[in-house]
Amino acid sequence: MAAFSLPLSSPPSFTTLCSSLHYACTTKLNTRKQLTTKKRHTTIIVKASEKKQETDQDTQAFNPFGFVTDNPSSKSAIQLPESPAEDGNVGQMLYRIEDKGKEYGSYIKSGKFRWFVRETGSPESRRGTIVFLHGAPTQSYSYRVVMSEISNVGFRCLAPDWIGFGFSDKPQPGYGFNYTEKEFHEELDKLLDVLGVKSPFFLVVQGFLVGSFGLTWALNNPSRILKLVILNSPLTASSPIPGLFQKLRIPLFGEFTCQNAVMAERFIEAGSAYVLKVEKADVYRLPYLSSGGPGFALLEAARKVDFQKTATQIASGFSSGSWDKPILLAWGVSDKYLPQSVAEEFQKGNPSMIKLKLIEGAGHMPQEDWPEKVVEALRMFLL
């Protein structure tokens, strides 16, 4: 504390004493503040120096767009300039990829909605019709190679994008479509009529959520199915639910998650041992990049479905005594979402009708990972 003195000739007044004490205290506080500031300034300089050394050692500086570019397939697809705001990345990317991924496809009006449907072969194909149904959060693009190859042996192949997915219409929830299982079934019935699909036909299904709805549709329409092919899908009550769908069901966090433009490609890569090529990732990304509609459609459907109840229904519905049509269970053994034990448990429920074919090297989407092996399995089963 700074020294101070009072004149001895007369006793100090109360006011004078208070003023002197205030001066002394203020002086001490200012001195302490200066020392603290100096110390803090020195610490900041040291930390800044350390940070600079770390940055020099690590050439990859912090990237605020990392949630996009950390993904292997999108890292080379999305080239961010030094000043992203000056370049218009999303617009340029949309221009570059907007016409990709529509192989064999066209738009079909069915009821109130416009579906995007891929088709190979012809209605007069001698071996009949195969309908391919995809899962969430992907699209019918995953079947393009399989469709092309299998139609060469005499099948008509049809693969629609479910309402809310891919290139099909994405109505706002509450305005004519609420993304419930019943509504998906009803709209699929209408589409099959418009496409002139004659019963019975062959059905191929893969994936979560809308893929499961494809299987429950089959359970409701057994007379329309000649043979059923199931690729990796949740088939038992023990089937794990991927983190994506769990996140979508969390209030507010789900709204954020569903608007991630690279969600679909990340989901595919996370379920497989492979990284998508850029041209493929572009197509899976395009719907989510073009608008918020696909994300909100997925969000609504994920919150409406009871995953465990649906899987339990599938397990019991295709069990012995309930289902009597041949089933091929073509399973990618490298699936990181659904273990092989799910397929084996499902087969045990109806061993006389279910044939299990393991596809080595394929992950959650065998039709994307190893389409040649899927084609081979289909030919052996359907011909």
Side-chain angles (χ1 to χ4, degrees):
M1 181 180 294
F4 68 96
S5 61
L6 297 172
L8 299 175
S9 57
S10 61
S13 67
F14 180 76
T15 302
T16 302
L17 182 60
C18 289
S19 298
S20 300
L21 288 172
H22 174 73
Y23 170 79
C25 292
T26 303
T27 302
K28 181 177 181 180
L29 286 173
N30 287 338
T31 302
R32 184 175 295 175
K33 182 177 181 182
Q34 289 173 1
L35 290 172
T36 303
T37 302
K38 184 177 180 180
K39 182 178 179 181
R40 184 181 302 161
H41 181 64
T42 303
T43 303
I44 291 173
I45 291 175
V46 172
K47 288 185 176 179
S49 176
E50 293 174 352
K51 186 65 177 179
K52 185 177 185 302
Q53 292 176 359
E54 292 175 2
T55 304
D56 291 340
Q57 294 173 358
D58 185 3
T59 57
Q60 292 185 350
F62 170 69
N63 181 3
F65 297 92
F67 74 96
V68 174
T69 57
D70 285 346
N71 197 44
S73 60
S74 56
K75 189 177 295 182
S76 55
I78 305 176
Q79 299 296 332
L80 294 174
E82 293 183 2
S83 302
E86 298 175 2
D87 194 72
N89 291 286
V90 173
Q92 286 194 350
M93 185 175 10
L94 280 171
Y95 179 78
R96 174 171 60 83
I97 68 177
E98 62 183 350
D99 294 324
K100 284 188 176 183
K102 296 186 177 180
E103 292 92 332
Y104 316 119
S106 62
Y107 288 98
I108 304 294
K109 182 71 173 180
S110 173
K112 299 178 292 183
F113 304 116
R114 190 177 66 154
W115 292 68
F116 182 80
V117 182
R118 301 175 197 272
E119 180 173 7
T120 58
S122 71
E124 291 75 33
S125 295
R126 67 185 187 279
R127 297 191 185 278
T129 299
I130 306 175
V131 176
F132 296 84
L133 298 178
H134 68 86
T138 64
Q139 51 172 289
S140 63
Y141 176 74
S142 63
Y143 288 116
R144 66 200 178 282
V145 178
V146 174
M147 293 175 62
S148 175
E149 294 296 322
I150 204 68
S151 63
N152 291 334
V153 296
F155 290 98
R156 179 195 185 194
C157 299
L158 297 166
D161 286 345
W162 284 102
I163 294 297
F165 295 82
F167 300 107
S168 289
D169 279 352
K170 303 158 187 74
Q172 183 177 345
Y175 291 83
F177 197 77
N178 290 311
Y179 296 93
T180 63
E181 179 183 14
K182 179 182 178 182
E183 289 171 306
F184 278 113
H185 287 177
E186 292 172 350
E187 295 304 325
L188 179 60
D189 281 330
K190 296 175 185 177
L191 177 65
L192 294 176
D193 290 341
V194 171
L195 293 173
V197 177
K198 298 177 181 179
S199 298
F201 60 89
F202 303 101
L203 180 63
V204 179
V205 179
Q206 185 274 329
F208 287 92
L209 217 166
V210 284
S212 296
F213 292 165
L215 292 176
T216 55
W217 181 90
L219 290 175
N220 293 337
N221 298 273
S223 63
R224 301 190 67 178
I225 305 299
L226 189 60
K227 289 183 177 181
L228 175 64
V229 178
I230 304 175
L231 307 179
N232 298 52
S233 304
L235 302 173
T236 65
S238 61
S239 299
I241 302 174
L244 170 63
F245 300 110
Q246 296 181 40
K247 293 175 183 176
L248 289 170
R249 296 168 73 90
I250 300 174
L252 297 181
F253 189 69
E255 279 76 1
F256 174 81
T257 300
C258 77
Q259 294 305 306
N260 185 346
V262 298
M263 169 175 53
E265 67 198 73
R266 279 188 163 182
F267 182 83
I268 295 170
E269 291 181 336
S272 169
Y274 307 104
V275 173
L276 288 171
K277 292 182 177 179
V278 172
E279 57 269 20
K280 296 179 182 179
D282 282 344
V283 179
Y284 288 111
R285 183 187 312 122
L286 180 56
Y288 297 95
L289 191 67
S290 301
S291 75
F296 287 120
L298 175 63
L299 178 71
E300 192 72 12
R303 289 180 172 177
K304 291 285 178 65
V305 69
D306 184 329
F307 285 95
Q308 188 171 27
K309 180 180 178 181
T310 301
T312 301
Q313 178 186 353
I314 290 170
S316 61
F318 289 108
S319 63
S320 298
S322 299
W323 183 266
D324 60 358
K325 306 292 179 63
I327 297 176
L328 171 65
L329 185 55
W331 199 267
V333 297
S334 298
D335 190 337
K336 296 180 181 180
Y337 296 127
L338 299 168
Q340 183 177 323
S341 59
V342 170
E344 294 170 344
E345 181 183 348
F346 181 73
Q347 184 196 27
K348 290 179 182 178
N350 195 347
S352 62
M353 287 290 111
I354 301 174
K355 176 184 178 182
L356 176 59
K357 169 67 176 177
L358 299 179
I359 302 181
E360 298 289 340
H364 181 63
M365 293 175 61
Q367 71 271 32
E368 183 66 77
D369 291 345
W370 279 94
E372 299 83 2
K373 292 184 178 182
V374 173
V375 169
E376 180 184 357
L378 289 177
R379 291 181 64 172
M380 294 286 292
F381 180 65
L382 300 179
L383 295 180

